[in-house]
Amino acid sequence: MGEMEQLRKEADNLKDQITAARKAMQDTTLQEAAASINVVGRVQLKTRKTLRGHLAKIYAMHWSTDSKLCVSASQDGKLIVWDSITTNKVNAIPLKSSWVMTCAYAPSGNLVACGGLDNMCSIYNLKGKDGNVKVMRELAAHTGYLSCCRFLSDSEIITSSGDCTCVLWDIETGTQKTIFAGHQGDCMSLAVSPDFKFFISGACDFTAKLWDIREGTCRQTFGGHENLSRINYILDLCKLYDLRADQELITYQDSSIMCGVTSLAPSLSGRLLLAGYDDFNVNIWDTLKAERVGVLAGHDNRVSCIGVSSDGMACCTGSWDSFLKIWN
Amino acid sequence: MSVKMGSSSTSVIQAQKLVDQLRVEATMERFKISLTATDLVRYCQEHKRSDPLITGIAASSNPFKDKKSCVLL
C-alpha cells in the first residue's frame, strides 16, 4: 500500500506544479488583449440550400476539401454524398449497420468513412472502377463504439472510441499503427491539426488531450488537472483553450442559453465560432470578444453536427430533423 | 497469484503511468498569455477581410445563391 500512497502523492505534487506553471503564464487575459478591437458586426446568414433525403436523425456531416461535396450519416442506415450547390445526391451508400455516429471525407475526395455502434470504421471507395461504391476496408479492433473518425490521407485514418482509446490505422493493411491510450472515459470526438502532426481528442473524463501522431504520446491535457476539493456544478459550455499557454482563455456563455452544445466549427479566419445546440439553433460567437453575434434558426430538432467548408464560403448544419442546411 | 494481488499490481502500474504522463506534461515549455493572446488577435484581424462569413458574399459570386431568372437589359 505504501507504493500506491507514494504514487498518489507524486501525482498530486505534479498536478500542483502544472497548476502553478499555468498560473505563471497569466500576465493578462484574452479580454484585455482584445480590448481595443470592436465586436464583429451582427452576422446574418441565410439558408441557401436544404438537403432533403435522409429518413431519420442525422448524426454527422463532413465537407469534402473541394468545398462543394459533403457527406452525411443518418440512422436511416445511409451515407449520402451531396453536391451542396445543386443539392443532388452524388452517392447514397447503404450501410451494414444503421447505428452510425460519425462520418468523414478523405482530403483527396476518393474515400469516405463511417462507424458507430458496430465498433468498426468502414472505409468506402467512391472512385471504384465500375462506378459502384463498395466497402474497401473494415477497421475492426475497438471494443467500444466509434464516436469519430478523420482521414490523414487515403492510407491513414484516426478513430476515437467509447473504449477510451483513439487509434491511428493503416487502411491498406487494416491494422492499428498506434493506439493512443490515456483517457479515463469514452472518447467522443477528435480534430486533426492542419499540418497533420497532432490531433486533439475530447472524452467523457471531462478532459481534452493533445496527441503527437508520430510519437504516439500525449503532450497536453486540458480540463482535468485541477484537484477538486468540492463538487462543482458542471454546465454545458464552450471554452477556448490556448495550446502554448496551456490553459483556458475564455468561455462562451450567455445566461439566456440553458442547453448543451453538440457541435463546433470555426469560420475561416477563426474570428467566428459557430456552435450547434440542443435547442435546435446555432449560435455564432465572436471568438475574441465572447459575445453572441448571430443565430441560425431553421431546424426543427437538435442540431447534431456543423461544418464550415475549406474555402470558408458556407456553413453546413445537420439535424435530428433529418435535414442538412447550407448557410451563408 | 491471487486475484487481489493481481488487481493491486495493475493499479500500481496504472498509477505509475499516470505519474509518468504528468511528469511529461509538467515539463512542457509554456508561453505567457500576453504573447499568445496577442498572436491570436493579430491572426484573426489579418484574416478577417478574407473570411466570407464575416465580409459577406456578393450575390454574383455566391455559388449557393440561386441565380435570378430575369436579367436587366
Side-chain angles (χ1 to χ4, degrees):
Chain A
M1 271 319 278
E3 204 177 352
M4 275 304 286
E5 201 46 52
Q6 211 176 351
L7 286 170
R8 210 168 286 138
K9 257 192 173 166
E10 231 184 310
D12 282 345
N13 279 340
L14 287 165
K15 285 181 187 178
D16 288 341
Q17 255 181 66
I18 290 171
T19 303
R22 284 171 168 166
K23 203 162 200 290
M25 298 301 110
Q26 292 168 8
D27 57 347
T28 186
T29 61
L30 176 57
Q31 286 94 322
E32 282 168 42
S36 59
I37 62 169
N38 293 322
V39 179
V40 150
R42 185 126 197 99
V43 176
Q44 284 172 314
L45 307 183
K46 293 202 174 85
T47 301
R48 300 296 177 190
K49 308 283 174 185
T50 297
L51 306 179
R52 296 166 218 272
H54 278 303
L55 303 172
K57 293 175 176 168
I58 291 171
Y59 275 79
M61 69 77 48
H62 196 212
W63 280 100
S64 165
T65 49
D66 69 0
S67 298
K68 202 170 70 106
L69 302 179
C70 65
V71 64
S72 61
S74 161
Q75 295 212 340
D76 63 2
K78 291 239 167 34
L79 263 196
I80 298 181
V81 176
W82 309 83
D83 178 323
S84 63
I85 296 176
T86 63
T87 74
N88 286 341
K89 298 177 192 47
V90 178
N91 302 105
I93 307 163
L95 306 174
K96 271 194 203 172
S97 162
S98 64
W99 304 112
V100 65
M101 294 173 70
T102 182
C103 62
Y105 221 123
S108 65
N110 295 330
L111 311 173
V112 288
C114 69
L117 295 185
D118 59 356
N119 297 2
M120 291 194 313
C121 182
S122 301
I123 314 285
Y124 294 85
N125 185 357
L126 297 177
K127 308 282 170 77
K129 285 192 197 92
D130 56 359
N132 283 333
V133 176
K134 285 190 300 236
V135 180
M136 199 182 97
R137 211 60 89 229
E138 281 175 342
L139 308 173
H142 277 302
T143 53
Y145 59 85
L146 204 86
S147 53
C148 194
C149 57
R150 284 294 179 260
F151 286 91
L152 296 184
S153 65
D154 280 4
S155 52
E156 289 181 316
I157 191 168
I158 298 187
T159 56
S160 62
S161 167
D163 68 9
C164 309
T165 69
C166 294
V167 171
L168 169 67
W169 301 82
D170 178 325
I171 295 176
E172 201 57 38
T173 59
T175 55
Q176 299 165 288
K177 270 183 152 168
T178 313
I179 299 175
F180 302 90
H183 274 300
Q184 306 288 305
D186 297 15
C187 293
M188 298 306 296
S189 60
L190 73 100
V192 181
S193 65
D195 61 8
F196 298 106
K197 290 186 182 165
F198 302 97
F199 77 92
I200 294 188
S201 58
C204 290
D205 58 5
F206 307 116
T207 71
K209 285 178 179 286
L210 174 71
W211 305 89
D212 182 319
I213 296 176
R214 296 308 152 197
E215 306 262 306
T217 53
C218 169
R219 293 279 205 91
Q220 289 169 257
T221 300
F222 300 95
H225 285 327
E226 292 71 30
N227 281 325
L228 294 177
S229 56
R230 56 193 157 80
I231 301 190
N232 291 308
Y233 288 105
I234 296 160
L235 304 170
D236 284 317
L237 296 169
C238 245
K239 287 169 185 272
L240 178 71
Y241 285 88
D242 187 307
L243 298 184
R244 291 183 301 164
D246 186 39
Q247 58 193 282
E248 178 191 326
L249 278 188
I250 209 162
T251 300
Y252 304 99
Q253 62 185 13
D254 187 305
S255 52
S256 66
I257 301 172
M258 303 285 221
C259 63
V261 180
T262 60
S263 45
L264 287 178
S267 68
L268 190 60
S269 68
R271 185 62 194 274
L272 300 178
L273 180 66
L274 294 95
Y277 289 74
D278 287 337
D279 67 359
F280 313 172
N281 292 329
V282 169
N283 285 313
I284 305 178
W285 298 89
D286 177 327
T287 317
L288 301 178
K289 307 292 275 184
E291 279 186 43
R292 208 151 46 128
V293 294
V295 179
L296 303 182
H299 281 293
D300 295 323
N301 206 323
R302 174 187 285 188
V303 173
S304 56
C305 49
I306 191 167
V308 171
S309 55
S310 312
D311 63 5
M313 290 284 277
C315 162
C316 177
T317 52
S319 166
W320 280 10
D321 68 6
S322 81
F323 304 117
L324 293 137
K325 285 180 184 288
I326 310 287
W327 313 72
N328 69 15
Chain B
M1 202 196 274
S2 73
V3 172
K4 207 172 165 192
M5 242 183 89
S7 66
S8 75
S9 61
T10 319
S11 311
V12 168
I13 293 172
Q14 275 182 359
Q16 185 64 60
K17 275 194 181 155
L18 177 63
V19 166
D20 293 339
Q21 179 58 36
L22 285 169
R23 225 176 256 135
V24 165
E25 294 182 25
T27 56
M28 80 164 269
E29 187 189 4
R30 293 173 177 83
F31 295 86
K32 296 238 161 104
I33 293 180
S34 53
L35 173 72
T36 66
T38 312
D39 281 352
L40 181 63
V41 170
R42 190 187 310 126
Y43 183 92
C44 288
Q45 291 294 77
E46 277 171 12
H47 292 84
K48 205 170 100 164
R49 257 149 283 150
S50 47
D51 187 337
L53 296 182
I54 296 180
T55 60
I57 307 166
S60 52
S61 40
N62 188 351
F64 298 97
K65 192 157 201 254
D66 287 323
K67 301 284 177 280
K68 293 200 192 326
S69 51
C70 301
V71 175
L72 280 173
L73 295 169

